[in-house]
Amino acid sequence: MSGTTTFVGMPAFPQAAATAVRDERLRANLRHATHTIRDKRARAVAELADWKQLREAGKRIKDRTLRHLDAYLLQLEEAVTTAGGTVHWASDADEANRIVTGLVKATGEREVVKVKSMATQEIGLNEALEAEGIAAYETDLAELIVQLGEDRPSHILVPAIHRNRGEIRDIFRDRMGAWGRPAPEGLTDTPAELAEAARLHLREKFLRAKVGISGANFMVAETGTLVVVESEGNGRMCLTLPETLISVVGIEKVVPTWRDLEVFLQTLPRSSTAERMNPYTSMWTGTSDGDGPRTFHLVLLDNGRTDALADEVGRQALRCIRCSACLNVCPVYERAGGHAYGSVYPGPIGAILTPQLRGTASGIDASLPYASSLCGACYEVCPVAIDIPEVLVHLRGRVAAQGGKGHRLEKAAVRAATWLLDHPTALAAGERLASATRRAHPSRLPGAGAWTEGRELPEMPEQSFRDWWRKNHG
């Protein structure tokens, strides 16, 4: 279900992807959506002559922030507290859920409205609230579709990207009534009617909700300001109407200053929705009398982020500003879809972020670094220059080093190759033996069926390069 920390029962990526690629409707939905979004993004980015400089600036700001993250977080805490907010620190998902559910229960309310938040999906907050008898209503249109359809998100920016308009109409018709105001009679699949049905359904919840829960795209350390950018206005309603606002935000979302924020407010909209700026950019600093929520709580979430920070190669994943550009250009994501990744973070960024947040002990997490062709398209479009292929290779090395099914043979082969390459005489003898017996070689490598399923061994030449060189050049 939407919001679980790990999608229960998910197989490793190769098995999940093999099922997904046979779903023709899913592939058609994904192909249409990703091609449309990435083409629009390319045009929006091309409008800025200094895009490369903005990209480099974003990278440097994020790297500087991560190097001094402890200092900036303390500065943020002081600023939020001074502005009237309360800061809570959560080391993992369980602690974050305990904090949030406790805060909601203290208000006496039994329902909350939510801004789209990947951090709360990451920790499984909706399920934790439900276990305490608290109903959490998603208000982002795509998240609403996912929730009503008892589905899982499959994209960072457009969680319901795997659904077409006809499917959404059916979900609204069949499920809206059980969650509140039912869909209008005679609802069609036209975008305007679907949007109006969602608007009418959600408006009742906005007007009666006393507690709102959000994430944040950025937190400004120097002022304690939180920032949410969105395109629908539902976030603005959640952030301003409730009496109590609780924001759950990953510790990597902090930026030092307002000047730093300016860079990302240029790059994020163009990379995500292909807009020059987001229609709604909401900012709040603590609490103010007569304006917005009377009580504000900020829950700073670690949940594996400091472990990622300790990895000199892997830490660049924490630069991510959740634009989803890497998903829209990835040939693997386009064909397999987001559910195959078994995480709320799908696509190339999920393939490097999830194994660092959750570890690589499970089959699905150990398989994610291999869920890529290493074509590099993700790196080219990343607005903060995360070298995703570099991190993928790095994590593959970590998975191989821990052993397990499929990797013991690999480790043995690497050890043997290392020894052979360190002994030139033995290598030369092996090359001559391989050439002499080439006609008896199999087309597939024995014992490595998974790797050779789509590959054949190259044909061995009659002589090695060193023998050819010796013969022709003495």
Side-chain angles (χ1 to χ4, degrees):
M1 300 294 293
S2 174
T4 52
T5 304
T6 304
F7 296 156
V8 178
M10 281 296 298
F13 181 84
Q15 288 74 43
T19 300
V21 297
R22 290 193 291 269
D23 186 333
E24 294 185 3
R25 183 168 63 176
L26 172 66
R27 291 188 63 176
N29 293 348
L30 289 169
R31 181 170 57 252
H32 172 74
T34 55
H35 284 223
T36 299
I37 296 171
R38 75 191 192 199
D39 290 345
K40 289 174 62 180
R41 176 202 174 275
R43 290 193 295 270
V45 166
E47 292 178 352
L48 293 183
D50 61 345
W51 178 260
K52 290 183 179 179
Q53 290 86 346
L54 285 168
R55 184 177 189 243
E56 181 64 21
K59 171 187 175 182
R60 293 189 180 190
I61 291 168
K62 280 290 189 176
D63 283 347
R64 184 181 77 244
T65 305
L66 292 172
R67 284 197 301 272
H68 306 287
L69 188 59
D70 53 346
Y72 289 124
L73 288 173
L74 291 176
Q75 182 184 10
L76 174 72
E77 180 185 33
E78 182 179 0
V80 170
T81 303
T82 300
T86 303
V87 177
H88 309 262
W89 298 81
S91 61
D92 57 22
D94 289 340
E95 186 172 11
N97 287 332
R98 284 196 300 271
I99 292 170
V100 177
T101 54
L103 292 172
V104 176
K105 290 169 70 175
T107 68
E109 296 296 318
R110 309 310 293 177
E111 63 180 31
V112 301
V113 289
K114 290 184 66 211
V115 187
K116 178 179 181 294
S117 164
M118 302 202 74
T120 60
Q121 292 173 350
E122 175 190 327
I123 64 177
L125 178 60
N126 286 12
E127 288 72 24
L129 290 170
E130 183 180 3
E132 296 294 330
I134 300 167
Y137 297 116
E138 298 289 352
T139 64
D140 174 82
L141 177 57
E143 289 289 355
L144 173 66
I145 294 165
V146 169
Q147 186 175 53
L148 292 179
E150 298 184 338
D151 201 352
R152 300 191 303 267
S154 64
H155 191 276
I156 288 176
L157 179 67
V158 193
I161 196 172
H162 55 289
R163 297 289 195 181
N164 60 37
R165 295 185 324 202
E167 293 174 289
I168 295 168
R169 176 203 58 210
D170 294 342
I171 290 171
F172 281 7
R173 283 178 176 173
D174 298 339
R175 298 290 299 162
M176 263 188 174
W179 287 77
R181 179 169 178 157
E185 290 291 333
L187 179 67
T188 71
D189 65 355
T190 60
E193 287 196 29
L194 295 174
E196 180 65 12
R199 184 179 297 112
L200 294 171
H201 177 83
L202 290 172
R203 188 56 57 97
E204 292 183 348
K205 292 179 168 49
F206 289 137
L207 294 177
R208 72 167 182 258
K210 302 296 184 182
V211 180
I213 294 178
S214 81
N217 294 96
F218 306 101
M219 303 179 291
V220 182
E222 69 174 350
T223 60
T225 302
L226 274 70
V227 183
V228 164
V229 296
E230 39 123 4
S231 299
E232 300 171 12
N234 62 290
R236 180 72 55 84
M237 301 285 279
C238 289
L239 296 168
T240 56
L241 291 178
E243 296 175 359
T244 299
L245 175 61
I246 305 167
S247 298
V248 182
V249 190
I251 56 175
E252 82 281 14
K253 293 296 186 70
V254 66
V255 296
T257 68
W258 276 86
R259 174 173 288 185
D260 298 323
L261 178 64
E262 176 203 2
V263 172
F264 301 110
L265 291 184
Q266 294 182 74
T267 56
L268 177 57
R270 291 176 187 268
S271 272
S272 56
T273 57
E275 295 168 302
R276 295 179 179 90
M277 68 178 292
N278 292 97
Y280 296 88
T281 300
S282 301
M283 302 182 184
W284 68 100
T285 306
T287 58
S288 300
D289 292 337
D291 182 16
R294 295 198 294 269
T295 305
F296 171 57
H297 296 274
L298 171 60
V299 182
L300 292 172
L301 177 67
D302 185 333
N303 204 37
R305 286 160 175 79
T306 53
D307 292 335
L309 187 62
D311 188 324
E312 292 186 2
V313 177
R315 72 173 61 145
Q316 59 185 297
L318 298 179
R319 291 185 208 146
C320 179
I321 58 174
R322 308 291 191 268
C323 71
S324 78
C326 62
L327 281 71
N328 300 323
V329 299
C330 178
V332 177
Y333 174 85
E334 180 186 326
R335 288 156 178 80
H339 292 158
Y341 293 81
S343 167
V344 298
Y345 302 111
I349 187 61
I352 65 171
L353 183 60
T354 302
Q356 295 192 81
L357 297 182
R358 298 197 310 216
T360 55
S362 70
I364 180 64
D365 294 326
S367 70
L368 288 179
Y370 297 87
S372 171
S373 65
L374 299 180
C375 70
C378 50
Y379 171 63
E380 295 299 325
V381 299
C382 178
V384 285
I386 301 171
D387 193 340
I388 293 177
E390 178 188 33
V391 184
L392 285 167
V393 173
H394 171 68
L395 293 175
R396 290 180 185 187
R398 180 188 298 178
V399 172
Q402 74 185 18
K405 183 180 180 181
H407 294 290
R408 294 189 181 92
L409 179 62
E410 181 181 354
K411 289 179 68 175
V414 170
R415 289 196 197 99
T418 301
W419 182 90
L420 194 61
L421 292 171
D422 283 340
H423 295 80
T425 302
L427 176 62
E431 290 171 343
R432 285 192 291 272
L433 177 62
S435 294
T437 60
R438 66 185 186 282
R439 299 189 186 281
H441 293 176
S443 61
R444 303 288 178 88
L445 188 64
W451 192 88
T452 61
E453 184 176 347
R455 306 174 176 89
E456 290 188 354
L457 290 174
E459 185 177 346
M460 187 67 63
E462 294 184 7
Q463 59 182 165
S464 68
F465 175 77
R466 77 174 69 222
D467 287 343
W468 176 89
W469 184 270
R470 185 180 298 111
K471 177 180 178 182
N472 291 279
H473 297 278

